[in-house]
Amino acid sequence: MDKILEGLVSSSHPLPLKRVIVRRVVESAETPLSQAQCRAMFALSTRLVLQGPDPFQRQVGRQVLEAYGRYHRAEFEAFFNRGLVLGLLQRGYGELSNRDPAILDYIQAGLRLIMSCPSVLELFELLQVEALRLVCERPAPPLCARLCQLLGDFPQCLPRGRKLSLAFCQQLVRSIAHFQSQGSREAELRLYVSQVTQVSGLLRSVWKAEPDTLLPSLQELFAIISAVDTSFEPSVALASLVQHIPLQMITVLIRSLTTDPNVKDASMTQALCRMIDWLSWPLAQHVETWVIALLKGLAAVQKFTILIDVTLLKIELVFNRLWFPLVRPGALAVLSHMLLSFQHSPEAFHLIVPHVVSLVHSFKRDGLPSSTAFLMQLTELIHCMMYHYSGFPELYEPILEAVKDMPKPTEEKIKMILSQSAWTSQSSSLPSCLSRLSGKSETGKTGLINLGNTCYMNSVIQALFMATDFRRHVLSLNLNGCNSLMRKLQHLFAFLAHTQREAYAPRIFFEASRPPWFTPRSQQDCSEYLRFLLDRLHEEERTLKALSSAKTSESIMNEESQTQEAVHKAQAFAEASCMGSEERTLIEKMFGGKLKTTICCLNCKSMSQKEEAFTDLSLAFCPPTSLENVGPKCVERSEVKDDYVVQANTSATSLAGETPLSNLEVNGGCDTIMNEGTIKDFSNEPNSENATNSELNKVQDNRDMSQRLVGKNTLSVTDLLNYFLAPEILSGDNKYYCEKCASLQNAEKTMQIIEEPEYLILTLLRFSYDPKCHIRRKILDNVSLPLVLELPVKRATSPLAVVSGGWSVGVEISDIGENLAKKLKPSGADEVTCPQSVPYMLSSVVVHSGVSSESGHYYSYARNVTGSGPSGLCHQSTALSLVSPQDKLLTEESPCTVVENELDTEMPREWFLFNDSRVTFTSFQSVQKITSRFPKDTAYVLFYKKQNSTCGFNTNSANGLWINGDPPLQKDLMDAITKDNKLYLQ
């Protein structure tokens, strides 16, 4: 029979005929055979099974072996003995390697035939040893899967005893770590996944049967993925094990890992990165659960360095997994946790921003319910991130366009989502961990690292740095040996101009310039910071000049008596304190202007006048017409009426304590304007209450005009400045005490700019105190920003009756109710001169993103503007001119957008967007549209540069021409920058 079979398989008979003959050979297995015949038949069928050249012969071998083994069991038991099995496992069969899965197929078939024979126990013991040896040799996925299938069918072959069983599990885990797919086609990948599933399934069975092996197996797994040896990368197939770990063990295992002092940060980082890689393994369950649990565990023990490193390294990979439906749910869960916990910096979110639009379009094209559901979840997450990291309009504009037809979560829901997963401690170590900065951006500008809610400082510093004339003068100062705040500002400006870093950390300047009442690491008002900074710089220069004058005086008078010396020293200080127009400080030269306030009694026509200096003008929003009939109020605190501001009257004193600083405010219907430091000379004596009715009646003629002004859809800076300069009627409870009439009288108050600054700083009073909610609310109205602004200046032609005017940090205006109409009253005072229009170009815009002053984010738009403008042009536009407040207040003309657009298209890359560490090119159109596209992003502080002015500074230095317009640096400062650049580049 064996010769017939051998001749059959080697013959050239047709396949159907061969099948008939094979069937007859199998049916003849019941025929009694001698031992020699049986052995020959078993040997032949074994050769066909293991070495058959084609599937048909191997199939014939299996059929014959099973048939004759079943009917001749004793003979087969003698044939299929320990020696045969051991030889197959260790040496193979002929040319067939012992690592060929066919060997295990043959052994499994043999075990089935002798299961009822006593000799099978001996084979089980043999296979227990050989199975452990095989897994220690790191079998390839096909062989390992076949071994696990054999061990699954015959669990008696699994290594016995805790020690051997544990070793087997650990070695099997290591074997999985070495698995690699042998192909890239779908069929090959499916086969690979099924092989891995076979292996992980056996481990699950062992863990279930012997629970003591689970924890050591997991320890082995962690040891593999936490290894920092870069020569070996564990297989992602290890992800198949995670689904077999009981979820109830998560808490214990994560706590054990995160608190183990033997686990170094580098190892934990490596392990977490590799676990995140597991998200790409199809069919794996609970991977995202373990990843998120480990992220939370690390946050609980404040391992923020690990979390930052891993998030920035892996977040793009996690996002890319969203393209694959099989792993999309897990990837989205991990992505959401990463973004919502990484709330101290936009860096992680901005890594995925460029890829969002294409993914959204892909989901929309799918049209599948599952894709639509995921798109809604992704859109909600993206909205939360854009809300939290506002101030990047160029980045977010394409995303908003892509998701415009998707539901947008409410602000309350966004806040709730953002509050759920943030790291519990925003420790001071976080900013220092963000030093993932490369060289400078393509703009050539340097960003400022956020030191913990210091965007209010960063935005102001960048605006001051981009004030070209101010920057150049600061850099040109010789401050060697001086530890002043101006020296620190010079140091900061020098690094911003010459460092090779993408962003600079202004820690020293922040500590020196932070107002004492500002709480560290909390959000503050950038306008308040700017005023404090300019005041400090001004007072510091005054003090230094006073000391210098005193020393000079002392050297001249060294031969006089001590008494005379003290007198001269005191005189020197007094003269330095009263420099006035004789010797102005740098802050006065660059930002200082003067206002003249005139109050005319409407009864006797007598006038009182006062001049006050300012560094910025604070512009209130025009109140709505619905408030016109509200009675006059004394404004001693801020009030909010229909979201319009009533600014508190404040006064400040300098740090030196020498010069009183006043904030001149025009408060409609409020006698607090008479407070100390403002127009205090006008509140000494009582007066009569008679008024000129004809003058008051004129107020009614202007009510329709006021409605036109406040009813416009979009206010402009021109409107707010007109409102600031408009006349105001003082009546009712706010009457003026006239010394000539010796009684309270109705009066008209006017304000005029009599000396313009080189840089005009305008602050839009967007924040007001809400006494009901005890918060400072924000006015979110859009305000149009003219690129070219013409300021009406009425320069004095004769000496004025000036009441001692102090150095004012700012001038604020705010009105309520009927005073809008009162301010529209034409002035009755005769003017000797007409206002001269002084052209200004927009230089910088500080934007506040948020809904209150206690929260949100600041960033700034800026460009280089010199005295002759960015293009060397000076535009005289009547549409932009304020001219007389009475004439232009009611105009419907908006800022000349044609001129603005022409100017902007001439230099499309002249505008920069400064957002902490990030600096990008932008356009004036982006500045104009910011509030319409992002409603809580509003212009707050504006810098305008006067045109046709050189500020009295030469562009040449003693050492030659200034490089790129900036002066050469002092040697010690240049050396410090050069040293830092070398260290950074190394």
Side-chain angles (χ1 to χ4, degrees):
M1 190 62 66
D2 59 330
K3 292 181 179 180
I4 295 175
L5 180 61
E6 188 172 3
L8 171 65
V9 297
S10 61
S11 67
S12 59
H13 294 305
L15 187 60
L17 179 59
K18 288 184 178 182
R19 293 184 186 277
V20 173
I21 297 174
V22 169
R23 187 169 59 252
R24 290 182 179 178
V25 170
V26 171
E27 291 173 352
S28 65
E30 301 179 16
T31 306
L33 297 174
S34 65
Q35 289 185 357
Q37 289 175 323
C38 287
R39 178 175 292 277
M41 184 60 72
F42 293 145
L44 176 59
S45 58
T46 297
R47 181 166 60 84
L48 291 175
V49 169
L50 297 176
Q51 291 187 318
D54 55 63
F56 174 74
Q57 293 192 25
R58 292 192 292 271
Q59 180 184 4
V60 169
R62 281 193 295 271
Q63 291 177 353
V64 172
L65 182 66
E66 291 176 1
Y68 279 81
R70 188 184 312 109
Y71 288 104
H72 305 277
R73 197 175 301 275
E75 288 79 4
F76 182 72
E77 182 182 7
F79 174 79
F80 192 73
N81 55 29
R82 177 185 175 91
L84 175 66
V85 173
L86 186 60
L88 290 173
L89 291 173
Q90 293 187 355
R91 297 185 298 275
Y93 185 87
E95 296 179 356
L96 189 67
S97 168
N98 65 328
R99 299 179 71 85
D100 194 299
I103 297 289
L104 296 178
D105 284 339
Y106 176 80
I107 292 175
Q108 184 171 1
L111 290 175
R112 289 197 187 99
L113 293 174
I114 63 170
M115 271 297 293
S116 58
C117 302
S119 62
V120 74
L121 298 177
E122 183 182 11
L123 294 181
F124 286 161
E125 292 179 359
L126 172 65
L127 289 172
Q128 290 173 11
V129 176
E130 289 299 306
L132 180 57
R133 180 186 63 80
L134 273 174
V135 296
C136 289
E137 294 176 355
R138 308 289 175 257
L143 179 60
C144 195
R146 195 63 194 84
L147 174 64
C148 291
Q149 183 180 352
L150 186 152
L151 297 176
D153 291 345
F154 297 96
Q156 302 91 331
C157 299
L158 284 167
R160 297 296 175 181
R162 186 180 184 282
K163 186 175 181 180
L164 291 179
S165 182
L166 179 56
F168 175 78
C169 291
Q170 291 175 325
Q171 292 301 322
L172 195 54
V173 169
R174 287 205 167 271
S175 294
I176 297 175
H178 285 78
F179 282 1
Q180 297 296 332
S181 175
Q182 301 302 313
S184 58
R185 293 197 298 266
E186 182 179 355
E188 295 170 327
L189 293 176
R190 287 181 180 275
L191 177 61
Y192 174 63
V193 171
S194 66
Q195 292 167 349
V196 174
T197 303
Q198 183 79 47
V199 178
S200 65
L202 177 67
L203 269 173
R204 177 192 58 184
S205 301
V206 176
W207 291 342
K208 189 174 182 179
E210 300 185 47
D212 289 346
T213 62
L214 176 57
L215 189 56
S217 299
L218 297 182
Q219 291 172 339
E220 187 71 20
L221 174 62
F222 184 78
I224 294 170
I225 63 175
S226 63
V228 294
D229 181 13
T230 57
S231 63
F232 169 68
E233 185 62 31
S235 172
V236 181
L238 289 169
S240 62
L241 300 178
V242 175
Q243 59 189 321
H244 304 313
I245 306 173
L247 291 178
Q248 56 267 30
M249 295 183 65
I250 285 183
T251 304
V252 176
L253 290 175
I254 296 300
R255 185 184 299 118
S256 174
L257 287 175
T258 55
T259 58
D260 187 350
N262 296 319
V263 179
K264 305 301 181 184
D265 285 0
S267 297
M268 183 63 75
T269 301
Q270 194 70 272
L272 184 54
C273 285
R274 285 166 174 160
M275 287 180 67
I276 292 173
D277 291 340
W278 293 351
L279 289 170
S280 60
W281 183 258
L283 306 180
Q285 301 175 12
H286 309 313
V287 171
E288 71 279 5
T289 305
W290 283 92
V291 170
I292 294 173
L294 185 52
L295 290 171
K296 290 181 177 179
L298 291 170
V301 295
Q302 299 189 2
K303 295 284 188 178
F304 297 119
T305 302
I306 298 175
L307 292 170
I308 291 172
D309 289 342
V310 171
T311 301
L312 297 179
L313 188 63
K314 290 296 182 180
I315 196 164
E316 288 180 280
L317 180 142
V318 175
F319 184 85
N320 288 335
R321 297 285 77 79
L322 297 178
W323 287 91
F324 306 101
L326 281 177
V327 299
R328 188 176 292 159
L332 184 58
V334 173
L335 179 70
S336 298
H337 181 81
M338 280 183 158
L339 290 177
L340 293 174
S341 61
F342 195 98
Q343 290 191 23
H344 63 281
S345 164
E347 190 173 0
F349 177 53
H350 288 172
L351 287 174
I352 69 168
V353 162
H355 314 296
V356 170
V357 173
S358 57
L359 183 64
V360 169
H361 290 327
S362 175
F363 281 173
K364 288 182 176 181
R365 286 193 299 268
D366 284 351
L368 301 175
S370 60
S371 296
T372 303
F374 277 113
L375 178 57
M376 293 182 66
Q377 295 178 52
L378 178 64
T379 301
E380 182 177 84
L381 176 63
I382 296 300
H383 274 300
C384 290
M385 292 297 99
M386 291 191 295
Y387 177 90
H388 187 61
Y389 302 122
S390 56
F392 300 91
E394 280 80 5
L395 284 178
Y396 300 160
E397 188 82 27
I399 298 178
L400 287 175
E401 182 65 25
V403 301
K404 63 182 179 182
D405 55 346
M406 300 299 297
K408 181 180 179 180
T410 63
E411 187 171 347
E412 290 74 19
K413 185 173 184 181
I414 289 176
K415 290 180 177 178
M416 181 193 71
I417 293 173
L418 289 172
S419 65
Q420 289 176 348
S421 302
W423 293 334
T424 54
S425 171
Q426 299 295 315
S427 73
S428 59
S429 64
L430 287 181
S432 63
C433 297
L434 288 176
S435 301
R436 297 178 160 271
L437 303 171
S438 55
K440 279 192 176 182
S441 68
E442 61 174 348
T443 64
K445 301 297 182 184
T446 303
L448 288 170
I449 294 175
N450 193 313
L451 305 176
N453 283 326
T454 58
C455 56
Y456 67 89
M457 177 189 71
N458 291 350
S459 58
V460 165
I461 293 302
Q462 294 287 17
L464 290 174
F465 178 80
M466 294 297 286
T468 308
D469 292 333
F470 176 65
R471 177 185 73 244
R472 289 174 178 174
H473 199 77
V474 169
L475 292 176
S476 68
L477 295 174
N478 185 358
L479 299 173
N480 287 338
C482 178
N483 193 31
S484 63
L485 182 61
M486 183 63 80
R487 170 65 172 174
K488 293 180 175 63
L489 181 62
Q490 184 187 60
H491 183 277
L492 176 55
F493 277 6
F495 268 83
L496 286 178
H498 298 285
T499 184
Q500 293 298 315
R501 298 178 183 273
E502 180 184 14
Y504 180 75
R507 292 184 178 86
I508 296 176
F509 186 81
F510 171 68
E511 293 300 329
S513 65
R514 178 175 60 85
W517 60 90
F518 276 19
T519 304
R521 306 193 63 77
S522 63
Q523 186 61 276
Q524 305 293 343
D525 189 331
C526 79
S527 176
E528 184 179 3
Y529 172 79
L530 175 60
R531 290 181 179 184
F532 177 81
L533 175 62
L534 296 182
D535 179 44
R536 277 279 309 277
L537 293 171
H538 164 72
E539 291 297 334
E540 184 182 78
E541 185 176 349
R542 286 168 55 91
T543 302
L544 291 175
K545 287 183 176 180
L547 290 173
S548 177
S549 299
K551 290 180 180 179
T552 303
S553 175
E554 182 177 347
S555 64
I556 295 175
M557 308 301 295
N558 56 4
E559 296 180 356
E560 297 184 6
S561 65
Q562 294 182 352
T563 303
Q564 292 174 325
E565 184 177 350
V567 170
H568 282 283
K569 190 171 183 179
Q571 290 176 347
F573 271 102
E575 291 171 1
S577 301
C578 301
M579 286 182 293
S581 60
E582 297 178 3
E583 188 176 1
R584 305 170 70 199
T585 66
L586 175 60
I587 300 303
E588 287 177 302
K589 293 175 183 176
M590 302 304 299
F591 304 104
K594 281 188 179 180
L595 275 172
K596 181 180 73 174
T597 302
T598 303
I599 296 183
C600 176
C601 175
L602 297 181
N603 182 44
C604 67
K605 304 299 182 181
S606 63
M607 291 192 301
S608 295
Q609 294 180 329
K610 179 183 179 181
E611 288 184 13
E612 283 195 309
F614 67 88
T615 53
D616 77 293
L617 300 179
S618 296
L619 307 181
F621 281 73
C622 311
T625 55
S626 60
L627 293 180
E628 287 184 11
N629 296 323
V630 176
K633 294 186 179 181
C634 178
V635 186
E636 297 190 3
R637 68 177 188 276
S638 302
E639 296 181 11
V640 175
K641 296 293 182 182
D642 296 338
D643 288 339
Y644 281 85
V645 70
V646 179
Q647 180 69 20
N649 184 11
T650 62
S651 62
T653 56
S654 68
L655 291 181
E658 298 175 359
T659 307
L661 307 180
S662 62
N663 280 350
L664 179 60
E665 302 188 10
V666 182
N667 296 294
C670 177
D671 60 4
T672 57
I673 192 171
M674 312 300 182
N675 283 356
E676 180 181 359
T678 57
I679 313 178
K680 53 189 176 185
D681 287 359
F682 306 145
S683 57
N684 296 329
E685 303 175 10
N687 199 353
S688 68
E689 297 185 1
N690 296 330
T692 304
N693 293 331
S694 61
E695 295 288 346
L696 292 177
N697 290 337
K698 293 181 181 179
V699 172
Q700 301 299 326
D701 298 336
N702 290 318
R703 289 201 176 262
D704 292 338
M705 300 180 185
S706 70
Q707 291 176 3
R708 290 172 58 196
L709 173 64
V710 300
K712 294 172 65 176
N713 290 331
T714 301
L715 292 171
S716 71
V717 173
T718 305
D719 294 329
L720 301 186
L721 200 49
N722 278 328
Y723 179 61
F724 176 82
L725 295 172
E728 175 187 7
I729 299 298
L730 304 178
S731 62
D733 292 339
N734 204 28
K735 285 184 178 181
Y736 159 65
Y737 181 80
C738 177
E739 294 184 358
K740 185 175 182 181
C741 298
S743 62
L744 292 172
Q745 295 290 337
N746 293 317
E748 181 189 67
K749 181 170 68 174
T750 58
M751 298 179 68
Q752 297 171 343
I753 299 173
I754 60 173
E755 185 176 315
E756 74 280 9
E758 293 297 331
Y759 284 94
L760 175 65
I761 302 177
L762 302 176
T763 300
L764 310 186
L765 295 179
R766 291 190 174 274
F767 300 115
S768 57
Y769 181 72
D770 186 345
K772 295 181 180 179
C773 302
H774 302 290
I775 60 172
R776 293 180 69 198
R777 297 178 58 188
K778 181 180 178 181
I779 300 172
L780 296 173
D781 293 11
N782 193 7
V783 176
S784 174
L785 309 178
L787 188 63
V788 181
L789 178 70
E790 298 198 11
L791 188 71
V793 180
K794 293 190 177 182
R795 294 187 175 88
T797 58
S798 61
L800 298 174
V802 179
V803 181
S804 58
W807 170 255
S808 176
V809 178
V811 178
E812 299 188 359
I813 170 173
S814 137
D815 296 80
I816 61 171
E818 64 184 4
N819 290 282
L820 171 64
K822 292 178 180 180
K823 289 174 68 65
L824 302 177
K825 157 71 178 63
S827 172
D830 295 331
E831 297 294 340
V832 179
T833 60
C834 293
Q836 175 184 353
S837 294
V838 178
Y840 281 83
M841 292 285 285
L842 183 62
S843 170
S844 301
V845 180
V846 178
V847 176
H848 177 264
S849 176
V851 294
S852 75
S853 62
E854 289 78 19
S855 62
H857 178 61
Y858 289 101
Y859 58 96
S860 55
Y861 292 92
R863 61 172 177 165
N864 287 309
V865 179
T866 59
S868 58
S871 305
L873 301 174
C874 179
H875 294 264
Q876 301 288 344
S877 172
T878 55
L880 296 175
S881 175
L882 297 175
V883 193
S884 168
Q886 299 92 320
D887 296 336
K888 295 297 294 180
L889 176 63
L890 307 176
T891 180
E892 290 289 342
E893 296 175 354
S894 61
C896 187
T897 55
V898 175
V899 174
E900 294 167 0
N901 291 337
E902 288 177 355
L903 288 175
D904 194 51
T905 53
E906 288 178 5
M907 286 189 156
R909 294 168 75 87
E910 70 174 353
W911 281 92
F912 303 94
L913 174 56
F914 296 91
N915 196 324
D916 288 335
S917 301
R918 181 183 175 91
V919 186
T920 55
F921 286 115
T922 186
S923 64
F924 184 62
Q925 282 77 14
S926 177
V927 183
Q928 289 175 311
K929 296 190 301 182
I930 184 66
T931 304
S932 61
R933 293 298 292 153
F934 302 89
K936 64 190 183 75
D937 291 28
T938 54
Y940 184 37
V941 179
L942 313 176
F943 285 68
Y944 278 90
K945 175 68 179 74
K946 187 171 74 170
Q947 298 303 285
N948 291 336
S949 169
T950 61
C951 308
F953 304 138
N954 294 326
T955 56
N956 295 330
S957 68
N959 297 326
L961 290 176
W962 289 1
I963 302 172
N964 296 325
D966 283 353
L969 301 180
Q970 302 295 327
K971 184 178 184 303
D972 61 335
L973 192 52
M974 197 69 240
D975 290 345
I977 296 174
T978 303
K979 180 179 179 182
D980 181 75
N981 284 340
K982 288 181 179 178
L983 291 174
Y984 173 71
L985 294 175
Q986 288 173 359

